[in-house]
Amino acid sequence: IGVFQLVVITLTKGTAMSVSSQSDQGRRGRSQTAVDETLLPPFVHQLDTKIKDYEREGDIEFPFEDTTGAGDENRMRGNWSSRTDSLLAIAGFTFGLGNIWRFPFLVYKHGGVAFLIPFSVCLFVAAIPVFFLEVSLGQFSSVAAISVWKAVPLFKGIGISSVYLSCVLSIYLAVTESWTLFYLIESIGFSLPWSNCTNSWSGKNCSAPARIACNLTNGTLLLNGSCLSLVDGSITNQTTLKSLEYFHESVLMKSNSIEEFAPLNWYLGICLMIIWSAVFLCLFQGVKSSGKVVYVVVVLPYIILAVLLVRLLTLEGSLSAVIHFMYPDFSVLRDLKVWGEAAIHAFYSLSCCTGGLITLASYNRFHSNLLRDVWLIPLLDILCSISACILTFSAIGFTCRLIGVDITHFQLRDGAHLLFVFLSEALSQLPAAPLYAALFFLMLALIINSTLVSLIFDTWGSISVVNSAMHCCSSSSLYLSSFQLFVVETVISSLCDHFAELLRKCRRHVLAVSCIILALLSLPFCSSAGLYWLAILDRYVLRWPLIILAFLEVTAMGWVYGVDNLLDNIKWMTGKYPPVYLFWKMLWKYVCPVVYMLILSFVWQEWEILTYETYSFPYWTSLVGWGLSLVPLIIIIVAGVEELVGARGTFSQRWSSVLNPDDSWGPALAIHRAEHFPLQIPEARRLLITCEDDLPPSEKEWQESHGGLNAHSHENGFSGRISTDRMSHAATIASVPAFERETAI
């Protein structure tokens, strides 16, 4: 510790210092800066030789930083201002659309509260391990999704594939959020446009609640609003909710087939440009601005969710619907299909394998306690999912009571229909409907946006060192959801970390170019066929490729890098191993690969021709979808071959090179590397190893036979063990306590 405090003082003051055999008084007299020599370890005072000046011999430069202050630990890249910033960012990234438009449908379909049992088990076995793995890798290396695979260079393509999926996901989220912004703007008024059937887009089958209730009894609605006949029946196929017609005809301008692109809804296009502009403004100043934005875009959705939940639970029929749909049916636990559905949703619920978790964790301080985050975030995710269920079921109960439909006859649909059709229909019947609709779509927009920014942030690079706060973001950025923000952040950080010398200094230009490119790629989805193409992305690109990446991640880290090395890295950061060491070892090495293959089999087993309502997609769309979904696998193969061909040496040496960590793999700061491996740091070696000319013959011969100290200490990055067979020359000639020679792992 004393050596490195001395180095910090020396580098900051710009004073070159040397250690000699002269007395303490003489040494203090020649020093240009007053230094407390008690900081020096004992053997430095007793060295009877000269310290060789440092000469660059291919050493990797690691910045020394003061980790004891309140500022950024990594000043080249930046850190979260506090642990709260980090927790909110990860919470906003994991709480996404699936919690709102998928989880309530699964609870409704698979036994109510009983579904929480297989979901919780699968979350613990399938989602939390890869979540823990990615957060650990990001915090340990302080780099984003691509550069983190210096741990196993052969699998570098996993990081590139994550960036590719982040780009696709950012487009998907941006288009979905443009719908939300469109609804939010339309909610500002005295009445909601989808609350009646007197609009230009209303078709002849548009039905208000009174007409639906009358159709239930096969009756005829009279002009005075009364129903002529009362006979038990069901809703006819000719009845269409006004909110569904508004969604199809006014918002999407949906065409009849995927080949019909015209017309383009320019209102959605303008909303899309507003969203990408807000993303740029929030990420313009880097981690310092985005870290403050999360206090709005992450906390506000939870507040709005609580307000809407309380309001809907006070409506007539809401409590009975919640009790009806949440009533447990434990017989579903014997159905393997239910466990398969639970495993699939549990895996996607924490937003793993898109690179966002690695990127967000890379801005943590090195010694942050990530063991608490691993359990806190999944618990928060479960609570939010249950809250979304109660919100949805209470809205169902109120709507069914309003239109006179028995709750047992209600059929719920998942996806966009749940949010933009049914819940918007329920909100339109509330007193002060525009207010609650605006709150709901504002909450939805913030949830989507928080993930989008994270993905773009992760794709493009590292966060710049900026001390500006959130005031640089315009008011429009508050609308940004944290999910969208961090998706974009993923893209930016990955590129800037991987091409650090080229892109890190011009991060804002990279951000601007990336936002423009992604905005242009998003624009065609605002056409009449945009909904069909989004369905293709959702079905093919954003499902099973993520499972393949998860399988490869745990395989590479568990079997190639070594699960013991991974657990050692966690202990290095937190000071202790995760609870039940053997359990995590077995989970990462054996259980997770099998579980991911089972999940993949469930996904492929339920594969069927893609349809939307009554429209069946043509065959060529399946070919396009499979082609897009195979891109991540092609990237992994090509990147692995490139790494193998680019390595030097014989065939076996090349394989050894790409399967062992790169020399630069490990903690980003020298002060952290030096905690375990000080001889990897050139400045530290100067104080520990004396000039080669003063070495005794036996020591010279030993170093020459091992290719020199530098080659020995950098041979395999962090893949070896500590060697205890040699003593440092400082200890040999000065007769001080033995100092073990440390090699790179």
Side-chain angles (χ1 to χ4, degrees):
I1 295 175
V3 171
F4 296 106
Q5 289 180 350
L6 174 62
V7 172
V8 171
I9 297 174
T10 304
L11 294 179
T12 54
K13 297 297 184 180
T15 303
M17 300 184 63
S18 61
V19 181
S20 66
S21 59
Q22 296 185 10
S23 64
D24 293 347
Q25 292 293 335
R27 186 161 52 248
R28 285 195 295 268
R30 290 192 305 271
S31 177
Q32 299 294 329
T33 305
V35 178
D36 185 4
E37 296 192 7
T38 60
L39 297 177
L40 294 174
F43 72 85
V44 175
H45 294 282
Q46 303 177 36
L47 286 179
D48 192 16
T49 184
K50 296 181 179 180
I51 298 298
K52 182 180 179 181
D53 292 336
Y54 170 63
E55 296 179 1
R56 182 177 178 85
E57 299 176 352
D59 292 311
I60 302 173
E61 294 182 354
F62 302 103
F64 278 84
E65 300 290 353
D66 184 7
T67 60
T68 60
D72 287 336
E73 182 179 72
N74 190 333
R75 298 177 186 175
M76 293 178 60
R77 199 169 180 271
N79 295 105
W80 298 113
S81 299
S82 65
R83 182 172 177 266
T84 305
D85 291 1
S86 174
L87 282 176
L88 289 178
I90 297 178
F93 180 72
T94 55
F95 183 45
L97 285 175
N99 301 79
I100 300 178
W101 75 13
R102 181 64 180 170
F103 189 78
F105 173 76
L106 294 175
V107 173
Y108 158 82
K109 183 180 178 182
H110 298 304
V113 176
F115 180 77
L116 294 178
I117 297 176
F119 174 75
S120 300
V121 173
C122 295
L123 185 72
F124 182 74
V125 175
I128 292 180
V130 71
F131 175 84
F132 190 13
L133 173 66
E134 293 192 343
V135 172
S136 302
L137 290 177
Q139 181 171 316
F140 181 74
S141 61
S142 297
V143 290
I146 298 178
S147 299
V148 77
W149 287 102
K150 292 178 181 178
V152 188
L154 183 65
F155 292 90
K156 175 184 174 182
I158 295 178
I160 303 176
S161 298
S162 298
V163 173
Y164 165 76
L165 293 176
S166 294
C167 293
V168 175
L169 183 56
S170 64
I171 294 173
Y172 181 90
L173 293 172
V175 176
T176 307
E177 191 173 5
S178 67
W179 303 347
T180 309
L181 181 57
F182 188 92
Y183 271 90
L184 179 62
I185 296 174
E186 291 291 320
S187 300
I188 302 175
F190 293 102
S191 64
L192 299 175
W194 61 89
S195 61
N196 56 73
C197 293
T198 60
N199 301 280
S200 59
W201 45 262
S202 301
K204 62 180 181 179
N205 295 326
C206 179
S207 298
R211 181 175 298 175
I212 294 176
C214 191
N215 287 337
L216 279 171
T217 59
N218 289 335
T220 302
L221 187 67
L222 302 180
L223 294 177
N224 59 4
S226 61
C227 191
L228 182 61
S229 176
L230 296 176
V231 181
D232 290 339
S234 60
I235 297 180
T236 63
N237 292 332
Q238 300 299 320
T239 302
T240 304
L241 287 174
K242 53 189 181 300
S243 56
L244 178 60
E245 286 207 345
Y246 178 77
F247 181 59
H248 283 169
E249 304 299 332
S250 180
V251 180
L252 301 180
M253 297 182 180
K254 185 176 71 70
S255 60
N256 295 324
S257 68
I258 194 173
E259 294 91 352
E260 301 177 14
F261 281 90
L264 179 68
N265 190 338
W266 287 106
Y267 294 105
L268 279 183
I270 294 174
C271 293
L272 195 64
M273 295 302 107
I274 293 175
I275 289 167
W276 283 111
S277 299
V279 169
F280 174 78
L281 292 174
C282 277
L283 298 180
F284 182 74
Q285 296 286 10
V287 69
K288 295 306 177 185
S289 59
S290 60
K292 303 305 178 184
V293 169
V294 295
Y295 283 92
V296 177
V297 298
V298 176
V299 176
L300 186 57
Y302 293 106
I303 297 176
I304 297 176
L305 179 63
V307 172
L308 292 176
L309 192 60
V310 172
R311 180 67 183 97
L312 288 175
L313 285 175
T314 59
L315 298 175
E316 188 178 2
S318 59
L319 287 177
S320 60
V322 172
I323 295 174
H324 173 77
F325 289 115
M326 300 288 285
Y327 188 81
D329 179 14
F330 294 103
S331 63
V332 299
L333 299 180
R334 297 191 296 267
D335 189 355
L336 289 179
K337 183 178 179 181
V338 174
W339 286 86
E341 293 268 9
I344 293 171
H345 183 74
F347 173 77
Y348 294 126
S349 63
L350 294 182
S351 305
C352 301
C353 301
T354 58
L357 293 174
I358 295 176
T359 298
L360 296 179
S362 68
Y363 297 106
N364 291 342
R365 298 175 75 91
F366 183 76
H367 289 297
S368 296
N369 188 356
L370 57 88
L371 299 178
R372 292 176 296 184
D373 302 348
V374 170
W375 301 108
L376 183 60
I377 297 299
L379 178 62
L380 183 62
D381 184 77
I382 294 176
L383 294 177
C384 292
S385 299
I386 296 175
S387 301
C389 286
I390 298 175
L391 177 70
T392 302
F393 297 150
S394 60
I396 291 175
F398 169 70
T399 304
C400 289
R401 180 63 63 89
L402 183 67
I403 65 179
V405 178
D406 189 271
I407 197 172
T408 58
H409 296 160
F410 183 84
Q411 298 295 324
L412 183 65
R413 294 183 59 182
D414 61 344
H417 272 256
L418 178 59
L419 299 181
F420 297 104
V421 176
F422 178 74
L423 287 179
S424 62
E425 178 76 24
L427 292 172
S428 67
Q429 307 303 321
L430 293 175
L435 173 62
Y436 292 107
L439 288 176
F440 173 73
F441 289 112
L442 176 62
M443 176 194 72
L444 186 60
L446 293 173
I447 291 172
I448 300 172
N449 212 348
S450 61
T451 306
L452 178 57
V453 171
S454 175
L455 285 178
I456 295 184
F457 188 67
D458 175 35
T459 304
W460 289 104
S462 93
I463 300 178
S464 58
V465 184
V466 180
N467 293 322
S468 301
M470 190 184 64
H471 70 273
C472 64
C473 295
S474 67
S475 59
S476 63
S477 65
L478 298 181
Y479 165 76
L480 230 56
S481 104
S482 55
F483 190 79
Q484 183 183 10
L485 284 173
F486 297 128
V487 171
V488 179
E489 191 86 40
T490 300
V491 179
I492 301 295
S493 295
S494 298
L495 290 181
C496 288
D497 281 346
H498 189 62
F499 305 102
E501 296 183 0
L502 181 63
L503 299 181
R504 182 169 288 176
K505 295 181 179 179
C506 53
R507 178 187 177 276
R508 295 178 180 177
H509 297 85
V510 175
L511 175 62
V513 172
S514 63
C515 287
I516 292 173
I517 293 175
L518 292 174
L520 294 177
L521 293 176
S522 306
L523 196 58
F525 292 91
C526 296
S527 64
S528 297
L531 179 64
Y532 301 116
W533 288 99
L534 279 183
I536 292 176
L537 293 182
D538 179 59
R539 170 66 69 87
Y540 292 95
V541 183
L542 299 177
R543 289 201 179 183
W544 68 265
L546 293 174
I547 304 174
I548 296 292
L549 292 187
F551 172 79
L552 294 176
E553 279 189 18
V554 296
T555 302
M557 301 307 298
W559 290 90
V560 182
Y561 182 76
V563 68
D564 292 309
N565 288 330
L566 179 61
L567 290 168
D568 287 342
N569 295 342
I570 295 173
K571 182 183 179 182
W572 190 345
M573 292 183 289
T574 62
K576 59 183 177 180
Y577 288 113
V580 193
Y581 180 98
L582 184 60
F583 168 78
W584 287 103
K585 183 175 181 178
M586 298 294 293
L587 194 63
W588 274 323
K589 199 167 184 177
Y590 301 105
V591 178
C592 285
V594 176
V595 169
Y596 295 142
M597 288 296 98
L598 291 176
I599 295 176
L600 185 63
S601 64
F602 276 115
V603 171
W604 283 346
Q605 182 183 7
E606 297 181 356
W607 206 265
E608 57 185 11
I609 298 176
L610 188 60
T611 60
Y612 181 79
E613 294 187 334
T614 59
Y615 176 74
S616 296
F617 285 63
Y619 176 74
W620 63 267
T621 58
S622 298
L623 300 179
V624 173
W626 281 104
L628 293 175
S629 63
L630 289 175
V631 170
L633 299 183
I634 297 174
I635 290 175
I636 293 173
I637 296 173
V638 172
V641 172
E642 180 186 3
E643 289 290 324
L644 186 61
V645 172
R648 297 181 179 180
T650 63
F651 185 74
S652 60
Q653 290 175 338
R654 291 184 179 186
W655 275 106
S656 177
S657 176
V658 298
L659 292 177
N660 286 301
D662 188 83
D663 288 346
S664 59
W665 166 250
L669 301 183
I671 197 169
H672 294 140
R673 286 178 176 258
E675 292 173 357
H676 285 207
F677 306 102
L679 293 188
Q680 283 200 331
I681 312 304
E683 293 84 353
R685 284 207 307 274
R686 288 184 54 222
L687 298 177
L688 301 179
I689 305 301
T690 60
C691 179
E692 184 180 356
D693 296 335
D694 294 331
L695 293 176
S698 60
E699 188 74 11
K700 285 185 179 181
E701 294 175 359
W702 185 88
Q703 284 200 8
E704 291 175 357
S705 64
H706 287 73
L709 174 63
N710 184 63
H712 184 66
S713 62
H714 285 273
E715 181 177 358
N716 283 322
F718 275 132
S719 61
R721 295 296 182 195
I722 298 177
S723 175
T724 59
D725 60 337
R726 302 295 300 174
M727 310 294 289
S728 71
H729 184 54
T732 302
I733 67 172
S735 300
V736 297
F739 181 85
E740 295 180 346
R741 180 186 302 278
E742 298 190 15
T743 63
I745 289 186

